[in-house]
Amino acid sequence: MHNIIQSCKIGGEFTMGTDDPAIPEDGEMPARPVRISTFLLQKYEVSNRQFAQFVLETGYKTESEQFNWSFCFEGTLSKEVNERITSAVEAVPWWLPVEGSDWFHPNGPDSNILSLGYLNHPVVHVSHNDARTYCEWLGLRLPTEAEFERASGGGQPEGTMFPWGNEIVPDGVYRANLWQGVFPSENTGEDGYLWSSPVDSFGPQNQYGLYNIIGNVWEWVADAWIVRHSKSRVLVDPLFQIQGRVDDPTVERTKKGGSYMCHKSYCYRYRVVSRSHNSADSAAQNLGIRCATSIDD
């Protein structure tokens, strides 16, 4: 049994969602009352160093390793790898299926977390199934979507846009790893990073002391994906699952927080209420893990 460390204690009642959605098709509305039992959430995204320990102790193979490919952003790949790729995702052609990409080779098969200096960067190329398995190995679990949103709000007044307030760059200070420039053709890296950043970068983003709760990499949560929500009563510890399909790899699963590839012009999903989804067996270069656990009040 491994204890959760470097965590913060969160709970209480809050308003989840919004009545003024920026992306209505994502199911950001309506604003609805939710009550969360006290829980602990890791302050940091799971790092490559931490995930490597898990792999060394268990021999675990991620789904990307089993499939021998994962999705990478074209701008992170070497010229040699780019030239070998003959297909892309039609709707988002900057996402490329790259053979040999996985958590240890995040920027294609000719990269690795050691040569990149990424030991303290968030682990990526992990599926929902991989994320669940890692958290369970620690004796923990994935946070629910409601827990994550409560944590992201960080004690700010209801309706606050970001964990720290309503200005994305308050007083000219970057508070999160997001895309600057013109997406997807130009990333200026004005926040100090072109791609992922260390899990302890940018300092605490809110009053709960959480780091990179928005930006850097998306984070899996436990819930299956839905876009219709009830506000008829106070929801207590909501967790949406599809009966009989908890382990189904094709079920769409929710992710929160946005990533270094998010820009207001394309992916304005780094707000507190933002949400998105992937199938449970999907993995990508900007999708990682943060673990939680329930505790007594």
Side-chain angles (χ1 to χ4, degrees):
M1 177 67 68
H2 298 258
N3 293 323
I4 189 168
I5 59 173
Q6 296 178 310
S7 60
C8 57
K9 184 177 179 181
I10 308 168
E13 191 166 320
F14 76 110
T15 300
M16 186 175 180
T18 178
D19 288 328
D20 185 25
I23 309 177
E25 61 269 27
D26 280 357
E28 296 177 356
M29 62 185 299
R32 53 203 183 273
V34 171
R35 185 179 304 126
I36 298 295
S37 299
T38 307
F39 70 103
L40 294 177
L41 183 68
Q42 289 179 322
K43 285 188 177 183
Y44 307 101
E45 297 153 323
V46 174
S47 70
N48 284 309
R49 179 182 284 108
Q50 292 169 317
F51 197 79
Q53 181 184 0
F54 162 60
V55 170
L56 286 171
E57 291 190 21
T58 66
Y60 185 80
K61 294 289 186 183
T62 63
E63 292 193 298
S64 294
E65 291 172 290
Q66 295 174 49
F67 301 153
N68 193 37
W69 73 274
S70 185
F71 284 110
C72 291
F73 177 68
E74 61 181 349
T76 66
L77 301 173
S78 68
K79 179 181 178 182
E80 292 74 21
V81 171
N82 254 312
E83 288 177 345
R84 295 201 298 266
I85 297 171
T86 59
S87 61
V89 180
E90 184 175 357
V92 283
W94 47 86
W95 275 120
L96 304 178
V98 181
E99 290 187 3
S101 289
D102 53 52
W103 74 273
F104 192 78
H105 306 93
N107 296 353
D110 56 356
S111 71
N112 68 73
I113 60 174
L114 300 179
S115 62
L116 290 168
Y118 274 15
L119 282 177
N120 200 39
H121 283 229
V123 65
V124 293
H125 295 298
V126 285
S127 68
H128 193 271
N129 305 317
D130 298 330
R132 279 176 40 207
T133 302
Y134 173 80
C135 291
E136 289 169 1
W137 172 72
L138 290 171
L140 307 174
R141 58 173 174 78
L142 288 173
T144 67
E145 181 179 6
E147 288 173 337
F148 193 100
E149 191 163 318
R150 171 63 165 161
S152 183
Q156 294 283 351
E158 300 283 357
T160 301
M161 193 79 70
F162 309 113
W164 55 83
N166 290 314
E167 297 294 327
I168 188 61
V169 187
D171 300 319
V173 178
Y174 287 99
R175 301 296 306 277
N177 184 3
L178 302 167
W179 188 284
Q180 289 89 45
V182 180
F183 187 87
S185 60
E186 179 193 19
N187 185 358
T188 64
E190 290 173 22
D191 58 13
Y193 301 94
L194 287 175
W195 316 122
S196 69
S197 58
V199 298
D200 57 357
S201 56
F202 295 96
Q205 288 182 329
N206 62 23
Q207 296 176 35
Y208 294 150
L210 296 166
Y211 289 68
N212 294 296
I213 194 71
I214 69 162
N216 209 15
V217 298
W218 284 97
E219 299 174 30
W220 288 111
V221 295
D223 300 64
W225 174 255
I226 56 171
V227 295
R228 292 188 177 186
H229 312 279
S230 172
K231 62 181 231 179
S232 61
R233 57 185 174 84
V234 176
L235 299 174
V236 179
D237 295 327
L239 168 61
F240 181 73
Q241 299 284 18
I242 299 175
Q243 188 173 4
R245 300 182 68 189
V246 173
D247 297 314
D248 189 333
T250 65
V251 168
E252 291 292 303
R253 293 285 175 177
T254 307
K255 60 183 183 179
K256 294 280 284 183
S259 82
Y260 60 83
M261 287 179 61
C262 284
H263 187 275
K264 188 174 183 179
S265 66
Y266 165 69
C267 177
Y268 194 29
R269 294 183 172 95
Y270 47 88
R271 295 160 293 115
V272 169
V273 300
S274 301
R275 56 202 305 268
S276 191
H277 60 103
N278 284 99
S279 64
D281 60 356
S282 293
Q285 195 180 30
N286 65 341
L287 179 53
I289 313 170
R290 188 184 309 248
C291 304
T293 189
S294 303
I295 61 172
D296 295 331
D297 290 330

